[in-house]
Amino acid sequence: MLRVLIGRHRSASSWSRIVLRDISRALKLDVLTIFAEEQYADYPSLGDMVREKNPDCLVLTNATRSHVETLPSEARIVHLFRDPRDIVTSGYFSHRNDHPVEIDGVKWPELVGHRENLLQLDRSSGMMAEIEFSGYFLDHMLEWNWEASDVLEVKMEELVVDSIPQWRRILEYLELAPDETQR
């Protein structure tokens, strides 16, 4: 069974990716992480790449609904999201100051120019520029199928406030939690 964690930009996606990676390593499960479409550009779809590579766990950042719909039907999907207003606010400060322009070999050249622009603007104008820049991420949330019964929706705000029960819920859904006899 394929286990999928979809994280949204500025929504604890790095933290959750690391947690899932560490748990998967401990369980000797293979994890495939996709940050950008360019990573599967040689395949007809994300689902085709996943079927060929056959990972146990798949971590996606900023996945679109259409790409997720190409995944195997038996996939267990967790969608981690955040209030869009907080995404923009967090994005403004992160993109302005310290967000990496490369993660795991995947480059984000658009961030370089955006950062240069933010450094020239006052906070109000910078926030407006961030809203425009973040539209790419927010549009994915807008077109997301929030009614899908086969996706566990997790609010980042709840995950960070009540981490242990929320992680237990996520891991149980992904069938990665130890059963009661092992605790």
Side-chain angles (χ1 to χ4, degrees):
M1 171 190 42
L2 176 65
R3 297 155 176 97
V4 182
L5 175 67
I6 298 172
R8 298 282 168 207
H9 188 62
R10 307 305 312 153
S11 299
S13 56
S14 293
W15 173 50
S16 58
R17 174 175 45 88
I18 291 166
V19 169
L20 185 61
R21 180 202 64 201
D22 290 350
I23 290 168
S24 297
R25 281 184 183 165
L27 297 172
K28 298 183 178 14
L29 298 174
D30 181 41
V31 179
L32 175 62
T33 301
I34 302 292
F35 296 102
E37 290 181 39
E38 68 192 50
Q39 291 175 268
Y40 56 92
D42 293 339
Y43 295 85
S45 72
L46 171 63
D48 290 312
M49 178 187 186
V50 168
R51 279 184 273 288
E52 180 179 305
K53 295 195 176 283
N54 197 28
D56 299 300
C57 298
L58 175 65
V59 177
L60 301 172
T61 58
N62 305 302
T64 66
R65 178 179 179 173
S66 60
H67 293 144
V68 171
E69 289 173 348
T70 69
L71 295 176
S73 60
E74 71 278 0
R76 309 266 309 171
I77 300 172
V78 173
H79 177 227
L80 178 60
F81 66 97
R82 183 179 192 179
D83 183 315
R85 297 167 296 182
D86 293 331
I87 290 174
V88 171
T89 302
S90 176
Y92 168 75
F93 290 103
S94 175
H95 296 155
R96 184 181 187 279
N97 300 318
D98 58 11
H99 194 289
V101 295
E102 182 176 333
I103 299 175
D104 290 350
V106 178
K107 295 180 180 176
W108 191 11
E110 298 85 357
L111 180 57
V112 175
H114 179 56
R115 176 170 290 149
E116 290 171 1
N117 185 40
L118 290 177
L119 289 169
Q120 301 300 315
L121 298 172
D122 62 40
R123 184 174 290 176
S124 178
S125 298
M127 288 296 281
M128 293 306 292
E130 183 61 35
I131 289 169
E132 185 176 327
F133 186 77
S134 292
Y136 172 79
F137 309 110
L138 301 176
D139 287 348
H140 294 170
M141 291 176 66
L142 183 62
E143 57 103 31
W144 186 251
N145 180 5
W146 295 97
E147 304 303 319
S149 61
D150 58 343
V151 176
L152 177 64
E153 300 288 353
V154 179
K155 293 179 182 176
M156 176 243 170
E157 294 85 350
E158 293 175 4
L159 181 62
V160 298
V161 168
D162 206 15
S163 296
I164 293 173
Q166 291 297 324
W167 272 111
R168 184 173 292 124
R169 183 169 74 112
I170 291 168
L171 295 175
E172 286 173 355
Y173 183 79
L174 294 175
E175 298 181 8
L176 293 174
D179 63 31
E180 291 297 323
T181 61
Q182 296 173 327
R183 290 186 190 169

